């Protein structure tokens, strides 16, 4: 439980993980912690264990059998906890164009842990998945591939209250670089599930020219079907309030290794990680901090105090978690660093 205790509690042993599969996921809410392991002998068999008291008391365990999922091979895309339930987002690649996405809800009731809801939907190829930590809404980009070198994208939102999946945008064409995977478009959804920020990258299809990155901010007024574009703005290098050279390069071509909202949703951190070539100085590693609250108020990103900060790639965080403090999982033996106000 970040910020509440610093003790370590072992929730699964190495032997257990090896027996069931090397892939392990975890999620937490309040004093409850859930861990999911994938079995080594069955690629689509998952076991979920739920603990109380910050991992001290095992409350229950449930195994999802392959027949329960109804498909021969399933991939875990996200695991999270919301409103006392454990959610699994599982996907199955159907063909060149489509995936089946499955949202499985697991609850602890009457002393037992078990599945009490499952919803399926057929969508395009999924990437850039983000979960609202408070509301449990899930936003992702789906790719509708027309041909090998032609595709479009849409923003899709899963509403855990309505238990429905909705496409909230019209299709927009993907550029050569986003289609090829070198600079994919990315998004993040705010903790309350009411704001989505999307970074569109390299929308110019000219092979030797990178266009300006674009920020699009969507806001939800009602349920998951009622979204409005509040901000849509490019960030030109030549604009007096635009990004500096590093910021423009990072938002245009660098790998986006993390996007995390502040707990209140006012700020969005984008972690840009690009390995230097030929031992040159790395000019594309660092982070960009967007003032989302001010962008919603003014309708603009330019002039709202966006920060562009370079970092030594050797000290770039591997993972970010922002709760009551910003937790950085650092490379090497640096461990986990908490950035926040010290106790009085």
């Amino acid at each position: 439980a970040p910020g509440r205790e610093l003790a370590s509690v072992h929730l699964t042993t190495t032997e257990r993980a090896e027996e069931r599969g090397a892939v392990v996921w975890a999620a937490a809410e309040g004093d409850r912690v859930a861990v999911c392991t994938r079995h080594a002998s069955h690629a689509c068999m998952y076991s979920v264990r739920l603990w109380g008291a910050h991992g001290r008391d095992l409350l229950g365990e449930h195994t999802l059998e392959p027949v329960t999922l109804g498909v021969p091979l399933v991939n875990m895309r996200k695991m999270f906890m919301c409103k006392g339930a454990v959610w699994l987002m599982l996907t199955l690649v159907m063909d060149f164009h489509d995936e089946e996405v499955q949202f499985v809800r697991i609850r602890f009731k009457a002393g037992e842990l078990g599945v009490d809801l499952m919803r399926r939907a057929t969508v395009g190829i999924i990437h850039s998945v983000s979960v609202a930590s408070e509301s449990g809404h899930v936003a992702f980009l789906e790719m509708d591939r027309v041909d090998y070198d032609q595709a479009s994208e849409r923003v899709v939102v899963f509403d855990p209250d309505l238990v429905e999946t909705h496409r909230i945008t019209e299709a927009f064409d993907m550029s050569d670089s986003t289609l090829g995977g070198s600079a994919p478009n990315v998004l993040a959804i705010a903790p309350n599930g009411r704001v989505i920020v999307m970074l569109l990258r390299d929308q110019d299809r000219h092979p030797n020219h990178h266009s300006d990155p674009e920020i699009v901010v969507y806001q939800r007024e009602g349920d998951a079907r009622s979204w409005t574009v509040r901000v849509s703005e490019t960030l030109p290098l030549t604009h007096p309030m635009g990004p500096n050279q590093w910021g423009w390069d990072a938002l245009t071509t660098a790998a986006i290794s993390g996007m995390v909202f502040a707990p209140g949703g006012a700020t969005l951190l984008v972690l840009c990680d690009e390995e230097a070539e030929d031992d040159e100085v790395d000019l594309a590693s660092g982070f960009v901090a967007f003032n989302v609250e001010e962008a919603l108020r003014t309708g603009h990103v330019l002039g709202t105090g966006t920060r562009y900060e370079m970092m030594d790639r050797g000290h770039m965080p591997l993972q970010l978690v922002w709760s009551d403090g910003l937790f950085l999982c650092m490379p090497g033996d640096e461990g986990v660093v908490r950035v926040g106000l010290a106790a009085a």
Side-chain angles (χ1 to χ4, degrees), residues 77 89-103 120-127 140-145 154-158 165-167:
R77 300 302 288 263
M89 179 185 180
L90 305 166
T91 60
L92 167 71
V93 177
M94 307 289 287
D95 52 35
F96 183 69
H97 304 278
D98 300 315
E99 285 189 73
E100 179 181 274
V101 58
Q102 305 174 3
F103 291 95
R120 297 177 177 177
T122 300
V123 297
I125 302 301
I126 296 172
H127 65 103
F140 57 90
L141 287 169
E142 68 162 356
M143 180 176 67
D144 182 13
R145 188 182 285 273
R154 293 183 182 89
V155 179
V156 184
V157 174
F158 172 73
T165 302
H166 299 281
R167 294 176 173 90

Side-chain angles (χ1 to χ4, degrees), residues 66-257:
V67 66
T68 303
L69 299 174
V71 290
L73 181 61
V74 177
N75 298 314
M76 173 83 80
R77 300 302 288 263
K78 283 289 183 180
M79 174 184 179
F80 59 97
M81 292 189 67
C82 183
K83 301 176 183 177
V86 180
W87 285 88
L88 307 180
M89 179 185 180
L90 305 166
T91 60
L92 167 71
V93 177
M94 307 289 287
D95 52 35
F96 183 69
H97 304 278
D98 300 315
E99 285 189 73
E100 179 181 274
V101 58
Q102 305 174 3
F103 291 95
V104 180
R105 186 175 69 192
I106 301 172
R107 286 192 183 276
F108 184 68
K109 291 182 178 179
E112 294 186 356
L113 189 67
V115 174
D116 77 334
L117 182 146
M118 180 185 296
R119 286 292 185 272
R120 297 177 177 177
T122 300
V123 297
I125 302 301
I126 296 172
H127 65 103
S128 190
V129 181
S130 179
V131 178
S133 58
E134 296 174 5
S135 69
H137 288 77
V138 181
F140 57 90
L141 287 169
E142 68 162 356
M143 180 176 67
D144 182 13
R145 188 182 285 273
V146 179
D147 202 344
Y148 178 78
D149 60 351
Q150 279 189 302
S152 60
E153 284 183 310
R154 293 183 182 89
V155 179
V156 184
V157 174
F158 172 73
D159 188 325
D161 299 319
L162 298 176
V163 199
E164 295 176 351
T165 302
H166 299 281
R167 294 176 173 90
I168 69 167
T169 66
E170 298 294 328
F172 48 91
D173 291 337
M174 300 176 67
S175 68
D176 290 337
S177 62
T178 56
L179 182 59
S182 60
N185 299 325
V186 290
L187 58 70
I189 187 168
N192 63 8
R194 292 188 171 276
V195 174
I196 294 174
V197 177
M198 182 166 59
L199 170 61
L200 295 175
R201 317 179 74 196
D202 199 11
Q203 298 304 296
D204 194 324
R205 299 185 67 87
H206 193 282
N208 297 315
H209 178 264
H210 295 296
S211 62
D212 295 322
E214 181 179 354
I215 298 293
V216 183
V217 182
Y218 301 90
Q219 189 170 39
R220 176 168 64 93
E221 301 298 338
D223 58 34
R225 293 165 291 195
S226 306
W227 291 84
T228 303
V229 176
R230 294 290 305 278
V231 181
S232 180
E233 190 169 54
T234 58
L235 305 179
L237 182 62
T238 56
H239 194 282
M241 292 182 290
N244 56 25
Q245 183 66 60
W246 173 83
W248 191 90
D249 290 340
L251 293 177
T252 303
T253 60
I256 304 299
S257 57

